[in-house]
Amino acid sequence: LRGNIAPGMRILDAGCGYGRNLVYLLRERFEIFAIDANDRAVEHVRRLSKSLNTGLPDKNFQVSPVEKMPFPNEFADVVICNSVLHFARSEEQFHAMVADLWRVVRPGGLLFCRLGSRIGMDFVPVGNGLYAMPDRQNWYLVDEQKLMALTASMKAVLVDPLKTTIVQNHRCMTTWVVRKPQ
């Protein structure tokens, strides 16, 4: 995040999986919280934290869906949601996920999302925001207009231009980073 994360910040990984995005932050002793719907993944992150002698309590790592996180409003300085939002099962769930992510970002804080998109490739729509992927999964995909409309509706500031990587004619992954106004 190019200097946007500084010591003393509280970081929340929403949809942490097995913690691959947390290793550096745990080693650097940031105040880390994480959620995932998979209880085995959360347990793995707890063990990872212990193995790195972070001193963080197990309660920092909880089982929860992104759209119903157990944290108060304006909880974190940085919220990371990496490769999660495209697993929304509908337009409604996607918006609920984004709303809860934004709810827990402190004023002046950052929301960093990497998500599947239609920016750079065409996919077959199957309804309710879902698209057929080459591996036969259905993903909720956004486009530039959707992300810019969300940014505006959230009264957010785009920190970086949208960046999209096309993964060998299989999928497009877009990085969307916004700051909450003070």
Side-chain angles (χ1 to χ4, degrees):
L1 289 171
R2 295 187 310 193
N4 283 300
I5 298 178
M9 288 184 161
R10 177 180 287 166
I11 300 167
L12 168 60
D13 189 346
C16 63
Y18 286 81
R20 72 177 174 160
N21 298 313
L22 289 174
V23 175
Y24 169 80
L25 298 168
L26 289 167
R27 282 187 178 139
E28 294 298 311
R29 301 291 189 259
F30 283 92
E31 183 183 12
I32 303 295
F33 292 79
I35 61 104
D36 199 279
N38 181 332
D39 59 340
R40 285 183 277 160
V42 171
E43 185 54 39
H44 184 270
V45 172
R46 287 175 178 158
R47 287 193 309 271
L48 174 64
S49 178
K50 283 184 175 96
S51 75
L52 295 171
N53 298 314
T54 65
L56 295 171
D58 283 352
K59 69 180 180 174
N60 283 27
F61 312 105
Q62 298 185 41
V63 178
S64 171
V66 170
E67 64 271 27
K68 295 180 183 175
M69 290 187 285
F71 304 108
N73 294 347
E74 301 177 354
F75 177 76
D77 298 294
V78 178
V79 177
I80 300 167
C81 187
N82 190 18
S83 298
V84 175
L85 292 173
H86 50 262
F87 293 116
R89 303 310 324 145
S90 67
E91 181 90 19
E92 295 76 24
Q93 185 184 22
F94 174 81
H95 283 284
M97 293 165 88
V98 171
D100 218 43
L101 290 166
W102 196 237
R103 176 186 68 78
V104 298
V105 177
R106 287 182 179 160
L110 288 178
L111 172 61
F112 174 96
C113 296
R114 189 162 184 264
L115 66 162
S117 77
R118 299 183 299 123
I119 301 171
M121 286 178 66
D122 291 323
F123 298 93
V124 176
V126 296
N128 209 4
L130 299 175
Y131 289 81
M133 302 301 290
D135 65 359
R136 298 189 181 155
Q137 291 186 55
N138 292 332
W139 279 14
Y140 184 91
L141 299 178
V142 297
D143 57 19
E144 180 178 355
Q145 293 77 15
K146 173 92 169 176
L147 290 176
M148 296 312 294
L150 275 171
T151 301
S153 71
M154 295 160 45
K155 297 180 174 56
V157 176
L158 198 62
V159 174
D160 269 336
L162 299 177
K163 294 178 180 72
T164 301
T165 300
I166 297 174
V167 182
Q168 202 170 19
N169 294 316
H170 180 72
R171 65 184 177 272
C172 301
M173 297 301 293
T174 295
T175 302
W176 176 49
V177 185
V178 291
R179 184 178 304 282
K180 188 178 260 190
Q182 292 280 359

Short mmCIF file of all heavy atoms in Angstrom, two decimals, residues 157-181:
data_model
loop_
_atom_site.label_atom_id
_atom_site.label_comp_id
_atom_site.label_asym_id
_atom_site.label_seq_id
_atom_site.Cartn_x
_atom_site.Cartn_y
_atom_site.Cartn_z
N VAL A 157 -12.67 8.82 -1.56
CA VAL A 157 -11.65 9.38 -2.43
C VAL A 157 -10.84 8.21 -2.98
O VAL A 157 -10.33 7.39 -2.22
CB VAL A 157 -10.73 10.34 -1.65
CG1 VAL A 157 -9.60 10.85 -2.53
CG2 VAL A 157 -11.54 11.49 -1.07
N LEU A 158 -10.75 8.14 -4.30
CA LEU A 158 -9.94 7.11 -4.94
C LEU A 158 -8.47 7.40 -4.66
O LEU A 158 -7.98 8.49 -4.99
CB LEU A 158 -10.24 7.10 -6.44
CG LEU A 158 -9.86 5.88 -7.24
CD1 LEU A 158 -10.62 4.64 -6.75
CD2 LEU A 158 -10.14 6.11 -8.71
N VAL A 159 -7.77 6.48 -4.01
CA VAL A 159 -6.36 6.68 -3.64
C VAL A 159 -5.44 6.46 -4.83
O VAL A 159 -4.44 7.15 -5.00
CB VAL A 159 -5.98 5.76 -2.45
CG1 VAL A 159 -4.49 5.83 -2.14
CG2 VAL A 159 -6.80 6.11 -1.23
N ASP A 160 -5.75 5.50 -5.64
CA ASP A 160 -4.99 5.16 -6.85
C ASP A 160 -5.99 4.93 -7.97
O ASP A 160 -7.12 4.53 -7.71
CB ASP A 160 -4.22 3.84 -6.65
CG ASP A 160 -2.82 4.02 -6.12
OD1 ASP A 160 -2.24 5.09 -6.29
OD2 ASP A 160 -2.32 3.06 -5.52
N PRO A 161 -5.57 5.12 -9.22
CA PRO A 161 -6.45 4.71 -10.31
C PRO A 161 -6.70 3.20 -10.22
O PRO A 161 -5.89 2.46 -9.67
CB PRO A 161 -5.64 5.04 -11.57
CG PRO A 161 -4.55 5.96 -11.13
CD PRO A 161 -4.30 5.67 -9.68
N LEU A 162 -7.86 2.78 -10.72
CA LEU A 162 -8.14 1.34 -10.76
C LEU A 162 -7.05 0.65 -11.56
O LEU A 162 -6.60 1.16 -12.59
CB LEU A 162 -9.49 1.08 -11.42
CG LEU A 162 -10.71 1.68 -10.74
CD1 LEU A 162 -11.96 1.40 -11.57
CD2 LEU A 162 -10.87 1.16 -9.33
N LYS A 163 -6.64 -0.51 -11.07
CA LYS A 163 -5.61 -1.30 -11.76
C LYS A 163 -6.16 -2.71 -11.96
O LYS A 163 -6.64 -3.31 -11.00
CB LYS A 163 -4.33 -1.35 -10.94
CG LYS A 163 -3.66 -0.01 -10.80
CD LYS A 163 -2.41 -0.11 -9.95
CE LYS A 163 -1.73 1.21 -9.81
NZ LYS A 163 -2.43 2.15 -8.97
N THR A 164 -6.07 -3.20 -13.18
CA THR A 164 -6.61 -4.52 -13.49
C THR A 164 -5.54 -5.39 -14.12
O THR A 164 -4.80 -4.95 -15.00
CB THR A 164 -7.82 -4.41 -14.44
OG1 THR A 164 -8.81 -3.61 -13.81
CG2 THR A 164 -8.39 -5.76 -14.77
N THR A 165 -5.48 -6.63 -13.65
CA THR A 165 -4.60 -7.64 -14.21
C THR A 165 -5.46 -8.69 -14.89
O THR A 165 -6.40 -9.21 -14.27
CB THR A 165 -3.75 -8.30 -13.11
OG1 THR A 165 -2.97 -7.28 -12.47
CG2 THR A 165 -2.84 -9.36 -13.67
N ILE A 166 -5.14 -9.01 -16.14
CA ILE A 166 -5.83 -10.09 -16.84
C ILE A 166 -4.99 -11.34 -16.64
O ILE A 166 -3.80 -11.36 -16.95
CB ILE A 166 -6.01 -9.78 -18.32
CG1 ILE A 166 -6.89 -8.55 -18.47
CG2 ILE A 166 -6.61 -10.99 -19.05
CD1 ILE A 166 -7.03 -8.04 -19.89
N VAL A 167 -5.60 -12.37 -16.09
CA VAL A 167 -4.90 -13.60 -15.76
C VAL A 167 -5.14 -14.62 -16.87
O VAL A 167 -6.14 -15.33 -16.89
CB VAL A 167 -5.35 -14.16 -14.39
CG1 VAL A 167 -4.57 -15.41 -14.03
CG2 VAL A 167 -5.19 -13.10 -13.30
N GLN A 168 -4.27 -14.64 -17.84
CA GLN A 168 -4.21 -15.60 -18.93
C GLN A 168 -5.58 -15.99 -19.49
O GLN A 168 -5.94 -17.16 -19.56
CB GLN A 168 -3.45 -16.84 -18.48
CG GLN A 168 -2.88 -17.64 -19.62
CD GLN A 168 -1.94 -18.72 -19.14
OE1 GLN A 168 -1.94 -19.13 -17.99
NE2 GLN A 168 -1.11 -19.20 -20.05
N ASN A 169 -6.35 -14.98 -19.90
CA ASN A 169 -7.68 -15.19 -20.48
C ASN A 169 -8.60 -16.02 -19.60
O ASN A 169 -9.49 -16.71 -20.09
CB ASN A 169 -7.58 -15.80 -21.88
CG ASN A 169 -6.94 -14.84 -22.85
OD1 ASN A 169 -7.27 -13.65 -22.85
ND2 ASN A 169 -6.01 -15.32 -23.64
N HIS A 170 -8.37 -15.97 -18.29
CA HIS A 170 -9.18 -16.74 -17.35
C HIS A 170 -10.05 -15.83 -16.48
O HIS A 170 -11.20 -16.11 -16.22
CB HIS A 170 -8.27 -17.61 -16.47
CG HIS A 170 -9.01 -18.44 -15.48
ND1 HIS A 170 -9.77 -19.53 -15.84
CD2 HIS A 170 -9.13 -18.32 -14.14
CE1 HIS A 170 -10.32 -20.05 -14.76
NE2 HIS A 170 -9.94 -19.33 -13.71
N ARG A 171 -9.46 -14.72 -16.02
CA ARG A 171 -10.17 -13.80 -15.15
C ARG A 171 -9.46 -12.45 -15.15
O ARG A 171 -8.31 -12.35 -15.56
CB ARG A 171 -10.28 -14.33 -13.72
CG ARG A 171 -8.96 -14.46 -13.01
CD ARG A 171 -9.12 -15.09 -11.62
NE ARG A 171 -7.86 -15.29 -10.97
CZ ARG A 171 -7.08 -16.35 -11.08
NH1 ARG A 171 -7.45 -17.34 -11.88
NH2 ARG A 171 -5.94 -16.44 -10.43
N CYS A 172 -10.16 -11.44 -14.67
CA CYS A 172 -9.60 -10.10 -14.49
C CYS A 172 -9.69 -9.78 -13.01
O CYS A 172 -10.75 -9.94 -12.40
CB CYS A 172 -10.40 -9.06 -15.27
SG CYS A 172 -10.47 -9.36 -17.03
N MET A 173 -8.61 -9.32 -12.43
CA MET A 173 -8.58 -8.93 -11.03
C MET A 173 -8.24 -7.45 -10.95
O MET A 173 -7.21 -7.01 -11.44
CB MET A 173 -7.56 -9.76 -10.26
CG MET A 173 -7.86 -11.26 -10.23
SD MET A 173 -9.45 -11.70 -9.50
CE MET A 173 -9.19 -11.24 -7.79
N THR A 174 -9.15 -6.69 -10.31
CA THR A 174 -9.01 -5.24 -10.23
C THR A 174 -8.72 -4.83 -8.79
O THR A 174 -9.29 -5.38 -7.86
CB THR A 174 -10.30 -4.56 -10.72
OG1 THR A 174 -10.45 -4.85 -12.12
CG2 THR A 174 -10.24 -3.04 -10.54
N THR A 175 -7.82 -3.87 -8.64
CA THR A 175 -7.49 -3.32 -7.33
C THR A 175 -8.20 -1.96 -7.22
O THR A 175 -8.04 -1.09 -8.08
CB THR A 175 -5.97 -3.16 -7.16
OG1 THR A 175 -5.36 -4.43 -7.34
CG2 THR A 175 -5.63 -2.61 -5.79
N TRP A 176 -8.97 -1.83 -6.12
CA TRP A 176 -9.76 -0.63 -5.84
C TRP A 176 -9.40 -0.17 -4.44
O TRP A 176 -9.62 -0.88 -3.46
CB TRP A 176 -11.25 -1.01 -5.95
CG TRP A 176 -12.25 0.02 -5.62
CD1 TRP A 176 -12.30 1.32 -6.08
CD2 TRP A 176 -13.41 -0.15 -4.80
NE1 TRP A 176 -13.43 1.94 -5.59
CE2 TRP A 176 -14.12 1.06 -4.80
CE3 TRP A 176 -13.92 -1.23 -4.07
CZ2 TRP A 176 -15.31 1.23 -4.09
CZ3 TRP A 176 -15.10 -1.06 -3.37
CH2 TRP A 176 -15.77 0.17 -3.38
N VAL A 177 -8.80 1.00 -4.32
CA VAL A 177 -8.34 1.54 -3.04
C VAL A 177 -8.97 2.91 -2.83
O VAL A 177 -8.75 3.83 -3.63
CB VAL A 177 -6.80 1.65 -2.95
CG1 VAL A 177 -6.38 2.09 -1.56
CG2 VAL A 177 -6.14 0.33 -3.34
N VAL A 178 -9.74 3.04 -1.74
CA VAL A 178 -10.42 4.30 -1.45
C VAL A 178 -10.16 4.72 -0.01
O VAL A 178 -9.90 3.89 0.87
CB VAL A 178 -11.94 4.19 -1.71
CG1 VAL A 178 -12.23 4.07 -3.20
CG2 VAL A 178 -12.57 3.05 -0.95
N ARG A 179 -10.23 6.04 0.19
CA ARG A 179 -10.05 6.62 1.53
C ARG A 179 -11.38 7.23 1.98
O ARG A 179 -12.06 7.87 1.21
CB ARG A 179 -8.96 7.70 1.52
CG ARG A 179 -8.66 8.28 2.89
CD ARG A 179 -7.54 9.31 2.87
NE ARG A 179 -6.30 8.85 2.29
CZ ARG A 179 -5.40 8.07 2.93
NH1 ARG A 179 -5.62 7.69 4.16
NH2 ARG A 179 -4.29 7.72 2.33
N LYS A 180 -11.68 7.00 3.27
CA LYS A 180 -12.89 7.59 3.86
C LYS A 180 -12.57 9.03 4.27
O LYS A 180 -11.54 9.28 4.90
CB LYS A 180 -13.33 6.79 5.07
CG LYS A 180 -14.68 7.21 5.63
CD LYS A 180 -15.10 6.35 6.81
CE LYS A 180 -16.09 5.30 6.38
NZ LYS A 180 -16.68 4.61 7.56
N PRO A 181 -13.43 9.97 3.92
CA PRO A 181 -13.18 11.36 4.32
C PRO A 181 -13.12 11.51 5.85
O PRO A 181 -13.75 10.74 6.57
CB PRO A 181 -14.39 12.13 3.77
CG PRO A 181 -15.00 11.22 2.76
CD PRO A 181 -14.65 9.81 3.16
#
